[in-house]
Amino acid sequence: MGEDLIQATQESNVNIPQMADTLFERAGNASWIVVFKALVTTHHLMVHGNERFIQFLASRNTLFNLSNFLDKTGSHGYDMSTFIRRYSRYLNEKAFAYRQMAFDFGRVKKGADGVMRTMTTDKLLKAMPTLQSQIDALLEFDVHPNDLVNGVINAAFLLMFKDLIKLYA
């Protein structure tokens, strides 16, 4: 993934909404390859980019409206469309969780004095269903080892796997 894009999110003069809108535009493409790359890039920036990027995504009413995505260009397009729909749902949930909690579960301090352990009971009760929805969407991706030969799916899976590890660390 381009370190240039990550670095760009750190620059104060970079237009984060325009960067995100470009990715949303790419996600509107009919080709599963273009859409998957846009989703992986978005995910990468959500995890490794400046927090302003995920803050902007969380401020939007909708992110990826891909629940009916279907690439009809061939049998491989049909197969990959399922992953597009699942992955976009996960990214939507990740942004929604940020909106609900005002932080990314994967970025917060862990351990004995971590955020989740020091939350008030009320905030923790609010956090649990939000976290559960994000984990459910992550697990719904349901990739199998033979699917990981595809480089784009592998990249998405690795990002999601690292998210899961961070959620439980």
Side-chain angles (χ1 to χ4, degrees):
M1 189 62 48
E3 293 298 318
D4 293 340
L5 283 177
I6 293 170
Q7 184 59 40
T9 65
Q10 305 296 339
E11 303 296 328
S12 60
N13 63 341
V14 169
N15 187 333
I16 296 288
Q18 185 179 28
M19 181 185 285
D21 286 343
T22 300
L23 290 167
F24 293 137
E25 184 180 312
R26 294 294 222 156
N29 195 291
S31 166
W32 74 267
I33 297 170
V34 174
V35 175
F36 227 130
K37 287 181 179 182
L39 294 175
V40 168
T41 301
T42 301
H43 191 177
H44 196 75
L45 292 174
M46 289 171 88
V47 172
H48 301 291
N50 188 291
E51 195 166 356
R52 292 181 308 136
F53 186 78
I54 194 168
Q55 285 171 345
F56 174 75
L57 297 182
S59 73
R60 294 178 58 115
N61 287 333
T62 59
L63 288 186
F64 300 107
N65 188 11
L66 297 171
S67 59
N68 295 319
F69 179 83
L70 186 59
D71 181 335
K72 301 176 184 175
T73 59
S75 63
H76 200 59
Y78 279 97
D79 295 341
M80 298 310 291
S81 295
T82 301
F83 292 113
I84 295 284
R85 293 188 298 270
R86 292 174 182 169
Y87 193 30
S88 66
R89 178 175 177 261
Y90 172 70
L91 295 180
N92 287 340
E93 284 293 334
K94 187 171 177 66
F96 179 74
Y98 190 97
R99 181 183 328 161
Q100 292 294 106
M101 302 307 304
F103 63 82
D104 180 351
F105 286 106
R107 289 185 178 210
V108 294
K109 185 177 181 180
K110 307 290 192 276
D113 59 342
V115 171
M116 296 296 280
R117 292 182 190 234
T118 59
M119 270 186 196
T120 65
T121 304
D122 288 344
K123 191 156 183 166
L124 191 56
L125 287 172
K126 178 184 176 184
M128 295 321 299
T130 302
L131 180 59
Q132 185 65 50
S133 293
Q134 186 177 346
I135 292 171
D136 288 347
L138 189 149
L139 295 174
E140 189 180 283
F141 191 67
D142 194 28
V143 69
H144 295 63
N146 57 337
D147 297 321
L148 294 176
V149 296
N150 181 305
V152 183
I153 289 182
N154 195 28
F157 174 76
L158 286 174
L159 283 167
M160 294 175 82
F161 181 74
K162 288 177 183 177
D163 279 358
L164 184 61
I165 296 294
K166 289 177 189 174
L167 292 174
Y168 284 105

